[in-house]
Amino acid sequence: MPQDSDHIVRSFDEDLKKLRDMIVRMGGLAEQQVADSTTALMRRDSNLAQEVLTRDSQIDQLEREIEAYSVRLLALRQPMGADLRFIIAAMKISHDLERIGDYARNGAKRSIVLASLPLTGSLNGFGRMARLVQENLTAAIDALVQDDAEAAKQVWGADEPVDDIYTGIFRELLTHMMEDPRNITAATHLLFVAKNLERIGDHATNIAETVHYAVLGDQLPDERPKSDSSAYTALRPHAD
Amino acid sequence: MPQDSDHIVRSFDEDLKKLRDMIVRMGGLAEQQVADSTTALMRRDSNLAQEVLTRDSQIDQLEREIEAYSVRLLALRQPMGADLRFIIAAMKISHDLERIGDYARNGAKRSIVLASLPLTGSLNGFGRMARLVQENLTAAIDALVQDDAEAAKQVWGADEPVDDIYTGIFRELLTHMMEDPRNITAATHLLFVAKNLERIGDHATNIAETVHYAVLGDQLPDERPKSDSSAYTALRPHAD
């Protein structure tokens, strides 16, 4: 093989490695945003929440860089097969991570309001939910780094406990609201924070699905195991 | 120019036209889902809501078809410049439309529960919000069909009234909940329906942004005009 062609091949591998590193960096940032916005909520720490708000633009910037870099690779390298799928996957995953960042930012905004409101009930469910979605997110990004379709498939099926905690939080908050109207403002914000975490879990699942596609080239079935039934919840007030 | 090359050129144009037609069809379906789920809510029509739920799989299927077709075009045609951007845009837009379909489906689910609950207050705000987001969605897809970056930019800036109505609905529902705990379950579902419509508006904006990028090759600024302040709302109950 002439040296020039060898050089081009190695260089494209380096391009792909750079793209992978960008995704890993973005994934790490998104995880930190989810962790910090949840800590800010639970410790009523508005300074930390403010840091989350400030850092969000880094995630947005990374998404733009990953997309621009991916489009450039598509144009210059005209990749096929697994390389093409990896670049498509990088764009999709960066979009999921950007959405995760947005949900964390929204949670941070709400935690600033919540820090000024009286709270009833425990926030432990939020901590558990955040830990689970972070674990799934980490595992999904790891699966990408390891080219591990089987690990990706496991993450894809691991979102059910997140949905269960969400449904439990939803019912508990509705109960608090019915018990005392002074809980309504705080509980409403908490409903959305819980919904945000549930959506973050969905995006971690999407990332796992995309990794599976990138590695194997096939798509997982349309419906994954899902047990969030809160859209159908009709809890009635105790007293009337 | 030899006839063969001419044939190949025409055939790629046909590929792109087919891709555009798939997006237009998917856009039409998504608009209908938004319209029907809102009508189902306002008329308390659970049969129509059930139709929305059933139709959602068509949208999911179209997203998969558009992605598979786009990846095939990237591999076989190795496009550059505006053609490459258009294919990237098609994938991104189909994802936004799939999300819009999901929000409409979630709204339909909730409208089935809401049809069995007593309602206080008017739903007119929901009708206005749905009309606005549908108009923006139609305009964004039209801008894609017409290759019209200027029209896309107008849609991109037109989401503010949607956010204003959302903030108004949010405050009104909180007030209803505080007045009477029997309103809490219905109002909570309505909060999420309103949030869904607000998110649908965001996705219409994303689509417009993508169209702008596809036509001109540059990106709109990171921050668009936005006035949803509900994440910062701290409404307190009247009485205690």
Side-chain angles (χ1 to χ4, degrees):
Chain A
M1 198 185 266
Q3 205 168 350
D4 261 15
S5 150
D6 193 48
H7 172 74
I8 285 170
V9 170
R10 198 168 51 236
S11 171
F12 185 33
D13 280 351
E14 280 167 18
D15 289 345
L16 293 177
K17 189 184 170 303
K18 184 182 165 186
L19 187 55
R20 194 178 300 244
D21 289 347
M22 287 164 96
I23 293 284
V24 170
R25 186 147 53 94
M26 195 178 174
L29 254 175
E31 280 166 45
Q32 197 189 345
Q33 293 287 82
V34 175
D36 285 351
S37 78
T38 308
T39 304
L41 171 76
M42 297 182 73
R43 296 197 190 145
R44 299 167 82 85
D45 182 343
S46 295
N47 291 329
L48 184 57
Q50 195 57 55
E51 281 178 38
V52 173
L53 298 187
T54 307
R55 271 198 308 254
D56 184 55
S57 62
Q58 291 178 38
I59 293 192
D60 293 346
Q61 179 60 27
L62 265 169
E63 188 199 13
R64 280 193 299 273
E65 281 173 28
I66 287 169
E67 182 175 319
Y69 193 67
S70 300
V71 172
R72 225 175 123 242
L73 289 188
L74 289 174
L76 297 180
R77 301 294 189 170
Q78 312 207 317
M80 301 185 66
D83 293 338
L84 174 57
R85 288 201 307 274
F86 181 78
I87 294 170
I88 300 289
M91 280 194 285
K92 290 178 75 167
I93 291 170
S94 74
H95 186 62
D96 282 306
L97 291 172
E98 187 271 336
R99 297 301 314 141
I100 289 174
D102 260 15
Y103 285 116
R105 184 186 59 178
N106 185 272
K109 273 190 195 175
R110 293 184 191 276
S111 79
I112 292 173
V113 179
L114 283 160
S116 70
L117 295 173
L119 285 192
T120 48
S122 147
L123 295 175
N124 289 342
F126 290 86
R128 275 186 295 139
M129 215 174 153
R131 263 196 308 282
L132 278 173
V133 301
Q134 278 172 254
E135 280 169 22
N136 286 349
L137 181 54
T138 309
I141 300 289
D142 283 353
L144 178 78
V145 173
Q146 313 280 341
D147 266 335
D148 189 340
E150 193 44 48
K153 200 173 175 183
Q154 274 174 30
V155 177
W156 185 75
D159 196 45
E160 211 169 334
V162 175
D163 293 335
D164 288 339
I165 302 174
Y166 172 64
T167 304
I169 289 175
F170 190 91
R171 285 172 180 279
E172 200 184 318
L173 289 171
L174 245 55
T175 306
H176 287 315
M177 289 198 260
M178 288 167 185
E179 280 165 3
D180 187 341
R182 284 170 297 188
N183 296 332
I184 286 174
T185 299
T188 301
H189 284 294
L190 287 171
L191 277 177
F192 280 104
V193 174
K195 186 72 190 169
N196 288 344
L197 286 171
E198 189 257 351
R199 293 293 301 134
I200 290 171
D202 283 347
H203 283 286
T205 305
N206 288 352
I207 292 172
E209 196 174 333
T210 302
V211 171
H212 192 271
Y213 157 81
V215 177
L216 293 186
D218 59 356
Q219 285 174 332
L220 287 164
D222 187 32
E223 289 296 322
R224 65 178 173 84
K226 190 157 177 71
S227 68
D228 163 26
S229 58
S230 68
Y232 285 118
T233 298
L235 199 62
R236 290 175 196 276
H238 300 298
D240 55 347
Chain B
M1 198 183 263
Q3 205 168 350
D4 261 16
S5 151
D6 193 47
H7 173 74
I8 286 172
V9 170
R10 197 168 52 236
S11 172
F12 184 34
D13 280 351
E14 278 167 18
D15 290 345
L16 294 177
K17 188 183 171 304
K18 185 183 164 184
L19 188 56
R20 194 177 299 244
D21 289 347
M22 287 164 96
I23 294 284
V24 170
R25 187 147 52 95
M26 195 178 174
L29 254 175
E31 280 166 43
Q32 197 189 345
Q33 293 287 82
V34 175
D36 285 351
S37 77
T38 308
T39 304
L41 172 76
M42 298 182 73
R43 296 199 190 143
R44 300 167 81 84
D45 181 345
S46 295
N47 290 329
L48 184 58
Q50 197 56 55
E51 282 178 39
V52 173
L53 299 186
T54 308
R55 268 198 308 253
D56 184 54
S57 62
Q58 291 177 37
I59 292 192
D60 293 346
Q61 179 59 28
L62 264 169
E63 188 199 12
R64 281 193 299 273
E65 281 173 27
I66 287 169
E67 183 176 318
Y69 192 68
S70 300
V71 172
R72 226 176 122 241
L73 289 188
L74 289 174
L76 297 180
R77 301 294 189 169
Q78 313 208 313
M80 301 184 66
D83 293 340
L84 174 57
R85 288 201 307 274
F86 180 78
I87 295 170
I88 301 290
M91 282 194 286
K92 290 178 75 168
I93 291 171
S94 74
H95 186 62
D96 281 305
L97 291 173
E98 187 271 337
R99 299 300 316 139
I100 289 174
D102 262 15
Y103 285 116
R105 185 187 59 178
N106 185 272
K109 275 190 195 175
R110 293 184 191 276
S111 78
I112 291 173
V113 179
L114 283 161
S116 70
L117 295 172
L119 285 192
T120 49
S122 147
L123 296 175
N124 289 342
F126 290 86
R128 274 186 295 140
M129 216 173 152
R131 261 196 309 282
L132 279 173
V133 301
Q134 278 172 256
E135 280 169 21
N136 285 349
L137 180 54
T138 309
I141 300 290
D142 283 353
L144 178 78
V145 173
Q146 312 279 341
D147 266 335
D148 188 339
E150 193 45 48
K153 199 172 175 183
Q154 274 175 29
V155 177
W156 184 75
D159 196 45
E160 210 169 333
V162 175
D163 292 335
D164 288 339
I165 301 175
Y166 172 65
T167 305
I169 289 175
F170 190 92
R171 287 171 179 279
E172 199 184 319
L173 289 171
L174 246 57
T175 307
H176 287 315
M177 290 198 261
M178 288 166 184
E179 281 166 1
D180 187 340
R182 285 170 297 188
N183 295 332
I184 287 174
T185 300
T188 302
H189 284 293
L190 287 171
L191 277 178
F192 280 102
V193 174
K195 185 75 190 166
N196 289 344
L197 286 171
E198 190 257 351
R199 293 293 302 133
I200 290 170
D202 283 347
H203 283 286
T205 304
N206 288 352
I207 292 171
E209 197 174 332
T210 303
V211 172
H212 192 270
Y213 157 81
V215 177
L216 292 187
D218 59 357
Q219 284 173 332
L220 285 165
D222 187 32
E223 290 296 324
R224 66 177 171 84
K226 191 158 176 68
S227 68
D228 165 26
S229 58
S230 68
Y232 285 119
T233 299
L235 200 61
R236 291 175 194 280
H238 300 299
D240 54 347

